[in-house]
Amino acid sequence: MTTAIPRFAGAGNLIYRAEQVPRFVRAEGSYLEAADGRRYLDAEAANGTVAWGYDKQILRDALAYCEDLPALPSFCESDLRLGVLQRLERLFSEDIGAPGRVELDLGGAQGMETALRIAFSAVGPGTVVVFEGAFHGRSGVTSMLSSSPRYRELLAAWGLEVVRLPSPDCGRCPHAAAPAAACATGCVAAATRWASEVSGVGGAGFARKVSAFIFESVQNVSGMVEPDAALLRAAVDHARANGAVVIADEIFTGMHRTGPRWGFQRSGVTPDVVVASKALTNGAAALSAVWAREPLAAPQTYRPGSHSSTYIGIPHALGVARAVLDRWDGWADPAADVERLAAGLTDRLKQLQAAHPGLVSDCRAFGGAARLVLTGDHAPALRRLCLSADPRIGLIVASTGMAPDVINIHPPLVITERELDVMAEVLDRALTLLGESLAGGGA
């Protein structure tokens, strides 16, 4: 364990938000191993990236694809890049039912910025609409889109006008006194009232209007919140009717994390632009893909030279993407298998809820993602306890500042039934310790 920030390490990194941080030296399957030999089951999948688990063969396959082209100028083309682009475009277009084009970028935040470039090229720069609870990155531009004011304390693009629709989380909804089974008429009205004279936000017929509506099919950082399907469809329809480009942030949910290939398929909406990233490289390279329906990214709309970055087309990242795409192509029925994973997560979390009714108020799994809702803001404490509660094995889960009462669980999609049992056993021990601490006045 690292118990102090090293003298040579920048202190602002998220790594050091905890007092004790495991130092990992190897990983395989669903497990990480620390320098002291202790093993940790990763039920967080490296920020949701390692859908295939920690698999060294992906790196070997990637090297075989790129070893003859170790680097490339950013203004040059390669067969490797074109092959990856063609395969990616097909993944999007098959499910959306429309042709499109793919632009590449680095991480998720950079991909979101490229999506805005494409939208603004098509309809002009303007206001961007998002939901409360959104997380779209922490760069200067994307921090404006993300909800937490903390992300904008040091760097922000204050010239970008952003309007936030009410939270799609029924548990935090201002239009209902208690959580409801689905969104009510008032929720839909609140999400579609912009573009009127009294709303303060321009739409069709206004010189300054909304250029883009961005949504997540599941709000990961906000505590694994899935917007009501009817609400999301109404918000998308309203945005499109007012000339806005509809952008789906599939950075976390893309590639079967929530069951279908794309999270937006759960609600039946069809976006104009899709941003994917994490599962495209299984955490082994920084790469995002931005798909845009024709003609949004065509040369007459998105002028060549509008975007460039030194590392966007590096062969290493493209080789990793090709190797991971090979894996996805070889999985016979990922959607059905991930739904079975959802059932396994649900069974175990329901058992934990029944065993700890004073600590767990709710749970839900959708695909390979789940939320364990606590009765108070105890998620940071529970997350820390999971690292040490069991003498045999540690457990890595997630919690966020925007949802301190929720434990986020999103393991590798290839996690085994036995590993799910281990996860539940460690969570049970950690919840017991949390209950004892609370009873004694701690946590």
Side-chain angles (χ1 to χ4, degrees):
M1 286 275 191
T2 295
T3 57
I5 301 174
R7 175 195 56 77
F8 48 81
N13 197 293
L14 185 64
I15 293 170
Y16 301 117
R17 69 172 178 172
E19 293 181 1
Q20 293 190 327
V21 183
R23 289 186 294 112
F24 295 112
V25 295
R26 62 183 57 86
E28 185 173 1
S30 299
Y31 287 92
L32 289 156
E33 184 177 327
D36 60 5
R38 182 171 172 81
R39 297 175 75 224
Y40 295 79
L41 176 64
D42 187 1
E44 197 261 359
N47 303 95
T49 62
V50 292
W52 293 91
Y54 295 95
D55 190 341
K56 290 179 282 190
Q57 187 59 44
I58 288 174
L59 292 178
R60 298 188 185 103
D61 293 343
L63 180 60
Y65 287 141
C66 68
E67 61 182 344
D68 291 332
L69 189 66
L72 189 71
S74 62
F75 49 85
C76 295
E77 188 59 276
S78 68
D79 288 342
L80 178 58
R81 193 183 94 97
L82 290 173
V84 169
L85 286 176
Q86 187 174 39
R87 293 173 73 178
L88 288 172
E89 194 280 330
R90 187 167 60 249
L91 291 180
F92 294 105
S93 296
E94 284 178 353
D95 292 323
I96 294 175
R101 297 170 185 255
V102 175
E103 178 76 282
L104 298 179
D105 215 310
L106 298 175
Q110 292 87 348
M112 292 305 303
E113 291 180 358
T114 290
L116 285 178
R117 285 190 188 93
I118 292 171
F120 289 172
S121 293
V123 299
T127 304
V128 179
V129 173
V130 298
F131 278 116
E132 288 181 0
F135 179 82
H136 300 293
R138 300 178 82 162
S139 69
V141 171
T142 59
S143 68
M144 297 297 295
L145 308 174
S146 299
S147 282
S148 176
R150 290 184 293 110
Y151 304 148
R152 295 182 287 280
E153 288 177 351
L154 299 180
L155 180 66
W158 291 111
L160 180 64
E161 184 179 39
V162 177
V163 172
R164 304 186 195 281
L165 305 182
S167 171
D169 183 355
C170 288
R172 296 179 170 89
C173 178
H175 300 283
C183 284
T185 304
C187 304
V188 173
T192 57
R193 68 187 299 269
W194 63 266
S196 66
E197 289 284 352
V198 297
S199 69
V201 184
F206 290 81
R208 175 72 176 179
K209 62 182 182 179
V210 170
S211 294
F213 168 57
I214 306 176
F215 71 92
E216 300 159 278
S217 51
V218 173
Q219 290 185 330
N220 174 23
V221 178
S222 191
M224 217 62 75
V225 173
E226 182 175 34
D228 176 76
L231 174 70
L232 185 55
R233 287 194 295 269
V236 166
D237 290 346
H238 184 70
R240 190 165 280 138
N242 281 278
V245 175
V246 176
I247 301 173
D249 179 345
E250 292 280 332
I251 294 165
F252 172 76
T253 51
M255 301 306 290
H256 299 286
R257 174 52 66 184
T258 62
R261 182 182 287 159
W262 309 113
F264 60 77
Q265 293 175 274
R266 293 174 61 92
S267 61
V269 301
T270 54
D272 303 310
V273 177
V274 184
V275 183
S277 181
K278 293 182 185 259
L280 296 180
T281 61
N282 207 57
L287 185 79
S288 57
V290 183
W291 177 92
R293 69 169 70 236
E294 286 285 359
L296 293 177
Q300 66 269 26
T301 307
Y302 185 50
R303 182 174 55 83
S306 297
H307 180 42
S308 177
S309 178
T310 299
Y311 295 104
I312 286 176
I314 60 171
H316 160 70
L318 294 168
V320 171
R322 180 175 169 181
V324 174
L325 288 172
D326 291 345
R327 295 296 184 90
W328 286 112
D329 285 348
W331 193 342
D333 194 351
D337 292 339
V338 172
E339 284 307 313
R340 282 190 283 274
L341 172 57
L345 286 167
T346 298
D347 289 345
R348 290 163 176 85
L349 295 181
K350 288 290 186 185
Q351 291 173 20
L352 288 170
Q353 183 180 2
H356 303 276
L359 292 172
V360 180
S361 65
D362 192 18
C363 63
R364 186 187 173 201
F366 20 76
R371 65 192 312 232
L372 190 69
V373 184
L374 306 179
T375 54
D377 292 346
H378 310 309
L382 183 60
R383 174 175 53 81
R384 291 191 296 269
L385 286 169
C386 284
L387 297 174
S388 59
D390 193 308
R392 304 164 300 166
I393 200 84
L395 176 69
I396 298 175
V397 293
S399 68
T400 73
M402 283 203 283
D405 60 334
V406 178
I407 288 291
N408 288 0
I409 298 169
H410 35 84
L413 298 183
V414 295
I415 193 170
T416 66
E417 288 290 318
R418 176 56 193 145
E419 289 166 345
L420 288 177
D421 287 339
V422 171
M423 178 198 76
E425 291 164 8
V426 178
L427 274 169
D428 182 52
R429 285 175 175 262
L431 284 164
T432 298
L433 292 175
L434 177 63
E436 293 172 354
S437 176
L438 291 172

